[in-house]
Amino acid sequence: MSGTSLDGLDVAYCEIDEKGFQLLAAETYPYSKDWTRVLSTLEKATAYEYAVINVRLGHYFGQMVNRFRQEHPGPCDAVASHGHTIFHQPQLGMTAQIGDGDSIAAETGLPVVFNFRTLDVAMGGQGAPLVPIGDLLLFGQYDACLNLGGFSNVSYDDTDGTRVAFDICPCNMALNHLARLLGQPYDKNGQLARSGTVDNGLLARMDALDYYRHPLPKSLGKEWFVRNFIPLLNDDPSEARNQLRTTVEHIARQITWAIKGHSINTLLVSGGGTKNKFLMARLQSLIPGCKITIPSDEIIDYKEAIIFALLGYLRLNQQNNCLGSVTGARHDNCGGDIAGLPQV
């Protein structure tokens, strides 16, 4: 799993069957400065550069899987790779996650399931979020599952029992952007934000973004963030603390509004944002009647990677791994290309 916040490549070694999952081992391999630079600007590159990086990243992913397997030996049936999202514009029928599956298969000698989102988009869906089927099958004891990654997203069962999920707002992508103005890769424990003051004018402009009034299904991509959210911010480091404080308030408010009125009494929260103690405190203060559960560090850090292992398992077993009720596709579907193995 490679997320939009560019923290690194998450590798989870999972045993999965019809009864559930066991996480056997997991590691995060941080991206080098060169990879961070390339991946953060690739949407502006030429088609030739895009094609080259797609293949290079696939080989890199495969090499990291091989390194992981040396560090954590054991049998392995297949690799499931989300890839790294560069473009996500489902309204144009297009989403693109790079990290060529054939290159991963060539490096590892294992079957690889990849390119999970494109079938759903071709069927009129958003291609996102894909994690909710894992929330349903692996963490269904909670009323809702909230992920605080590059974007925040939530999934829960609606009143008729239909699974609903959507991207709520920018999260770590925005917070990390502002922390970097202060020379930090991220705001550890939310201490920088805690020292700032809410800018009510900026908060109002954030809350007024059109996306928040769009009907479901809906999802966010980096292009939206660059086009709509970044222009609201000031690159002056002297204002970064106040902007961080305001962004934390914005995230907590948007999450509160997203789940309000849906009978959500128990909430599982995962993703890197759970380690932002100030953000979590602001969220709890806005939803005092909801019991927030923060799982083990392994689930916090690797829940998405675990669920993509599940999606790969479902694809290899020809079972639906994407919920049309979530994405808006015509119906549930079984997405993902398979490399290194004849199509099943």
Side-chain angles (χ1 to χ4, degrees), residues 320-332:
N320 287 334
N321 60 8
C322 185
L323 299 172
S325 65
V326 166
T327 66
R330 290 193 292 273
H331 49 72
D332 296 350

Side-chain angles (χ1 to χ4, degrees), residues 181-195:
L181 297 179
L182 295 169
Q184 301 298 320
Y186 64 97
D187 183 6
K188 186 175 182 179
N189 295 323
Q191 290 299 108
L192 297 173
R194 191 186 296 271
S195 66

Side-chain angles (χ1 to χ4, degrees), residues 19 39 45 63 89 108 142 149 153 160 189 208 215 228 247 271 275 286 336 338:
K19 298 177 183 178
L39 294 177
Q63 291 159 10
Q89 297 183 33
T108 62
Y142 300 96
N153 49 67
D160 63 357
N189 295 323
N228 296 279
T247 303
K275 298 179 181 180
L286 294 177
I338 302 176

Side-chain angles (χ1 to χ4, degrees), residues 157-228:
D157 285 345
D158 213 346
T159 52
D160 63 357
T162 300
R163 198 69 177 183
V164 171
F166 55 95
D167 288 335
I168 301 172
C169 65
C171 189
N172 296 338
M173 183 176 281
L175 298 174
N176 293 354
H177 171 82
L178 291 166
R180 285 193 289 268
L181 297 179
L182 295 169
Q184 301 298 320
Y186 64 97
D187 183 6
K188 186 175 182 179
N189 295 323
Q191 290 299 108
L192 297 173
R194 191 186 296 271
S195 66
T197 303
V198 172
D199 179 333
N200 288 314
L202 175 59
L203 181 60
R205 292 191 292 276
M206 289 178 173
D207 289 341
L209 289 166
D210 286 344
Y211 174 80
Y212 302 134
R213 276 155 289 284
H214 289 178
L216 302 183
K218 60 182 181 177
S219 60
L220 290 167
K222 182 183 176 183
E223 304 98 307
W224 179 92
F225 176 74
V226 171
R227 186 171 59 249
N228 296 279

Side-chain angles (χ1 to χ4, degrees), residues 3-333:
T4 50
S5 52
L6 283 171
D7 295 333
L9 180 67
D10 292 340
V11 182
Y13 181 33
C14 304
E15 184 173 359
I16 295 177
D17 59 27
E18 64 278 0
K19 298 177 183 178
F21 78 97
Q22 181 178 0
L23 180 62
L24 304 176
E27 300 281 354
T28 296
Y29 298 106
Y31 284 118
S32 66
K33 289 182 179 179
D34 284 344
W35 271 121
T36 300
R37 175 185 54 78
V38 168
L39 294 177
S40 65
T41 58
L42 190 59
E43 72 274 9
K44 302 173 185 176
T46 65
Y48 174 81
E49 291 167 325
Y50 174 90
V52 169
I53 295 301
N54 177 43
V55 172
R56 279 185 53 205
L57 190 66
H59 283 286
Y60 173 74
F61 283 172
Q63 291 159 10
M64 290 300 98
V65 169
N66 289 342
R67 173 179 166 182
F68 179 92
R69 296 190 67 203
Q70 289 175 350
E71 297 168 354
H72 304 281
C76 185
D77 298 307
V79 175
S81 178
H82 171 271
H84 189 85
T85 300
I86 299 299
F87 300 110
H88 182 68
Q89 297 183 33
Q91 72 279 9
L92 300 179
M94 182 268 289
T95 187
Q97 288 72 43
I98 65 169
D100 176 50
D102 287 303
S103 299
I104 300 173
E107 291 285 349
T108 62
L110 293 167
V112 177
V113 187
F114 68 110
N115 211 21
F116 283 95
R117 300 183 186 272
T118 53
L119 174 61
D120 187 80
V121 170
M123 294 174 57
Q126 294 282 305
L130 297 186
V131 165
I133 194 168
D135 291 341
L136 180 64
L137 296 177
L138 303 181
F139 302 98
Q141 66 270 38
Y142 300 96
D143 292 336
C145 292
L146 174 69
N147 179 62
L148 301 177
F151 297 101
S152 62
N153 49 67
V154 68
S155 75
Y156 55 84
D157 285 345
D158 213 346
T159 52
D160 63 357
T162 300
R163 198 69 177 183
V164 171
F166 55 95
D167 288 335
I168 301 172
C169 65
C171 189
N172 296 338
M173 183 176 281
L175 298 174
N176 293 354
H177 171 82
L178 291 166
R180 285 193 289 268
L181 297 179
L182 295 169
Q184 301 298 320
Y186 64 97
D187 183 6
K188 186 175 182 179
N189 295 323
Q191 290 299 108
L192 297 173
R194 191 186 296 271
S195 66
T197 303
V198 172
D199 179 333
N200 288 314
L202 175 59
L203 181 60
R205 292 191 292 276
M206 289 178 173
D207 289 341
L209 289 166
D210 286 344
Y211 174 80
Y212 302 134
R213 276 155 289 284
H214 289 178
L216 302 183
K218 60 182 181 177
S219 60
L220 290 167
K222 182 183 176 183
E223 304 98 307
W224 179 92
F225 176 74
V226 171
R227 186 171 59 249
N228 296 279
F229 202 87
I230 288 289
L232 300 178
L233 304 175
N234 188 321
D235 285 343
D236 185 348
S238 68
E239 297 185 29
R241 291 173 189 267
N242 291 343
Q243 292 184 101
L244 273 165
R245 175 67 184 88
T246 304
T247 303
V248 164
E249 197 67 17
H250 171 68
I251 295 167
R253 281 159 57 115
Q254 290 299 325
I255 291 170
T256 300
W257 293 337
I259 67 176
K260 187 169 61 176
H262 294 288
S263 301
I264 294 172
N265 299 310
T266 58
L267 180 67
L268 177 71
V269 186
S270 61
T274 58
K275 298 179 181 180
N276 186 318
K277 294 180 180 179
F278 183 58
L279 172 59
M280 294 304 300
R282 289 302 304 139
L283 180 59
Q284 183 68 86
S285 72
L286 294 177
I287 49 172
C290 182
K291 180 183 179 183
I292 292 178
T293 298
I294 299 176
S296 67
D297 284 348
E298 284 187 329
I299 299 300
I300 289 172
D301 292 336
Y302 299 106
K303 177 169 172 275
E304 284 190 290
I306 291 166
I307 289 178
F308 272 93
L310 171 67
L311 300 188
Y313 168 86
L314 293 172
R315 172 66 183 91
L316 290 168
N317 285 278
Q318 298 179 290
Q319 299 176 39
N320 287 334
N321 60 8
C322 185
L323 299 172
S325 65
V326 166
T327 66
R330 290 193 292 273
H331 49 72
D332 296 350
N333 55 82

